[in-house]
């Protein structure tokens, strides 16, 4: 087989995967945001860290899980999600126990709702960011053997992660359009 035939075989006959699997991989974004929120509010808020360390934490909490879930851990997305939620819960509970021992009174309502003062804008920001991150990662990874072929764009019918990405990209741009915000666009 020459290169062209190998490539055609590699990208043909793609029927996708189940909606459940795509949903679990998509839920990784929510789990990542929860993990990042927990680490940022419970560990990073007390101390002054360098920008490079904060970038490292952001990468490890936000980008790496979606990268792993779409490549080498694609068969274990439930385990990855449970691990991320468990780590978040352990950090949160440990912080609560440590604060109760030191008699520091923490207003958990303020801690939890502080980043949610403008929930609509936070959701839009996170949704658009994750749409761009997942789109970039899947577009780059789809040409390599490590990317599961069942998650690639389907050829005729079915559901793939890249098919959902197309719809997410449309939605992420639609929610910030001037029509969605009921504002008049000035055309000159």
């Amino acid at each position: 087989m020459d290169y062209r035939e190998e490539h055609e075989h590699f990208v043909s006959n793609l029927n996708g995967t189940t909606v459940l699997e795509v949903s679990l991989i998509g839920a990784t974004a929510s789990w990542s945001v929860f993990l990042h929120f927990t680490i940022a509010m419970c560990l990073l808020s007390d101390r002054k860290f360098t920008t490079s360390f904060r970038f490292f934490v952001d990468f490890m909490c936000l980008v790496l899980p979606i990268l792993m879930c779409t490549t080498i851990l694609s068969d274990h997305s439930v385990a990855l999600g449970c691990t991320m939620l468990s780590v978040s819960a352990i950090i949160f509970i440990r912080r609560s126990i440590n604060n109760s021992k030191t008699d520091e009174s923490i207003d958990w309502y303020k801690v939890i709702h502080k980043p949610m003062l403008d929930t609509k804008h936070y959701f839009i920001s996170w949704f658009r960011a994750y749409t761009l991150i997942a789109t970039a990662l899947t577009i780059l990874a789809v040409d390599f053997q490590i990317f599961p072929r069942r998650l690639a764009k389907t050829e005729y019918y079915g559901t793939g992660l890249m098919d959902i990405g197309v719809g997410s990209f449309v939605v992420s741009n639609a929610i910030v359009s001037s029509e969605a915000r009921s504002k008049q666009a000035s055309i000159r």
Side-chain angles (χ1 to χ4, degrees):
M1 239 192 239
D2 66 340
Y3 175 75
R4 182 181 173 138
E5 290 174 351
E6 285 182 22
H7 183 70
E8 285 178 9
H9 179 68
F10 183 68
V11 297
S12 61
N13 299 325
L14 302 176
N15 293 326
T17 185
T18 64
V19 174
L20 177 64
E21 184 177 20
V22 172
S23 299
L24 288 172
I25 292 172
T28 304
S30 301
W31 301 331
S32 297
V33 170
F34 184 64
L35 178 64
H36 181 265
F37 167 77
T38 307
I39 289 175
M41 294 307 289
C42 293
L43 299 178
L44 299 179
S45 62
D46 295 344
R47 299 175 192 91
K48 299 290 183 194
F49 289 103
T50 63
T51 305
S52 58
F53 180 75
R54 288 184 182 267
F55 178 79
F56 175 76
V57 170
D58 289 349
F59 180 81
M60 295 299 285
C61 292
L62 299 172
V63 178
L64 194 62
I66 196 75
L67 178 64
M68 294 291 118
C69 207
T70 56
T71 54
I72 60 175
L73 294 179
S74 64
D75 295 330
H76 308 288
S77 56
V78 174
L80 179 66
C82 290
T83 302
M84 291 168 60
L85 293 174
S86 298
V87 168
S88 299
I90 289 169
I91 291 170
F92 195 77
I93 291 169
R94 185 167 179 211
R95 173 69 184 231
S96 299
I97 291 170
N98 287 345
N99 287 336
S100 66
K101 287 180 182 177
T102 60
D103 292 332
E104 286 183 34
S105 61
I106 291 182
D107 187 3
W108 285 110
Y109 182 82
K110 286 182 181 178
V111 169
I112 291 171
H113 291 92
K114 181 181 177 186
M116 298 180 192
L117 296 176
D118 190 2
T119 308
K120 182 178 174 183
H121 289 125
Y122 271 97
F123 169 76
I124 291 170
S125 296
W126 283 111
F127 182 75
R128 292 190 70 184
Y130 256 100
T131 300
L132 292 172
I133 290 169
T135 301
L137 290 176
T138 53
I139 287 173
L140 292 172
V142 75
D143 293 329
F144 296 98
Q145 295 287 338
I146 196 167
F147 189 81
R149 300 312 305 159
R150 67 183 186 279
L151 299 179
K153 188 149 179 58
T154 57
E155 206 166 344
Y156 299 112
Y157 61 93
T159 305
L161 183 65
M162 293 187 81
D163 296 316
I164 301 301
V166 171
S168 297
F169 211 86
V170 170
V171 170
S172 73
N173 287 316
I175 58 179
V176 295
S177 69
S178 60
E179 292 85 5
R181 293 180 287 141
S182 299
K183 293 184 179 180
Q184 291 288 342
S186 61
I187 300 174
R188 294 183 187 226

